[in-house]
Amino acid sequence: MNQKNFTIVLYAPDIPGNTGSIGRTCVALGTRLVLVRPLGFDLDEKAVRRAGLDYWKYVDVSIYDNWEQFLKTESPESVFFFSKLGEKTYFDAEFTENCYIVFGSETKGLPRHIFETYPDQMLSLPMYSDKIRSLNLSNVATAVSYEVLRQLNI
């Protein structure tokens, strides 16, 4: 696999179709996908496979039981978190090689301890309408991934 220099992390994803779509994006970009439990679905569900089509078998995926296990195993040096509550946008970020981009649950977002531990690394995508609560997780992950690639000149 032609690995790119960043990793997508989903913290407690709830919707299998989004995870499947993000996995497909990971295959397209040659990047890794990390899932942090709890998952709101079984990875064998048809919805994950359907969204990932026949590409899911090519997803370079690691699964961790909790955030602490993820930190201990991966030892990330550069981490960026995404939430609609982030005060800075991803346009303000300076993504670095080997960074991790972390997205929370579709229904719950990121847990409070993440906000408290990493307040300066919390980013959002701009939304200029008050008619929606949030953007689709797979769309956000894809948009951010391509911005990371652009900044890294890949």
Side-chain angles (χ1 to χ4, degrees):
M1 177 180 257
N2 183 14
Q3 183 102 4
K4 297 304 178 202
N5 295 325
F6 71 98
T7 299
I8 297 173
V9 180
L10 303 182
Y11 188 108
D14 288 328
I15 301 174
N18 283 334
T19 299
S21 293
I22 293 167
R24 186 174 181 176
T25 297
C26 288
V27 173
L29 301 180
T31 193
R32 291 178 55 228
L33 175 62
V34 169
L35 303 177
V36 178
R37 286 189 163 102
L39 307 181
F41 51 88
D42 185 322
L43 284 174
D44 291 333
E45 282 190 33
K46 288 181 188 176
V48 175
R49 292 193 314 272
R50 185 175 356 188
L53 296 173
D54 54 343
Y55 304 108
W56 188 254
K57 63 187 170 194
Y58 301 115
V59 178
D60 181 2
V61 63
S62 299
I63 303 169
Y64 295 102
D65 288 332
N66 53 53
W67 184 250
E68 292 73 25
Q69 183 187 41
F70 161 74
L71 290 176
K72 182 178 179 184
T73 304
E74 297 280 331
S75 300
E77 292 182 20
S78 179
V79 185
F80 299 89
F81 299 89
F82 291 86
S83 167
K84 68 178 184 178
L85 303 175
E87 293 183 16
K88 297 185 289 186
T89 72
Y90 79 130
F91 300 130
D92 300 317
E94 292 184 24
F95 297 106
T96 58
E97 289 206 28
N98 303 312
C99 68
Y100 289 73
I101 55 175
V102 182
F103 305 90
S105 160
E106 295 93 335
T107 58
K108 299 173 198 79
L110 291 165
R112 178 181 301 272
H113 73 87
I114 296 288
F115 280 91
E116 292 170 352
T117 306
Y118 306 96
D120 295 333
Q121 291 144 278
M122 199 63 58
L123 303 168
S124 67
L125 267 68
M127 294 189 295
Y128 301 109
S129 171
D130 58 1
K131 294 178 176 50
I132 60 170
R133 289 184 309 279
S134 62
L135 296 168
N136 176 273
L137 178 64
S138 63
N139 292 339
V140 172
T142 298
V144 172
S145 294
Y146 278 93
E147 175 61 12
V148 173
L149 291 178
R150 187 190 71 78
Q151 287 190 24
L152 298 178
N153 294 311
I154 295 176

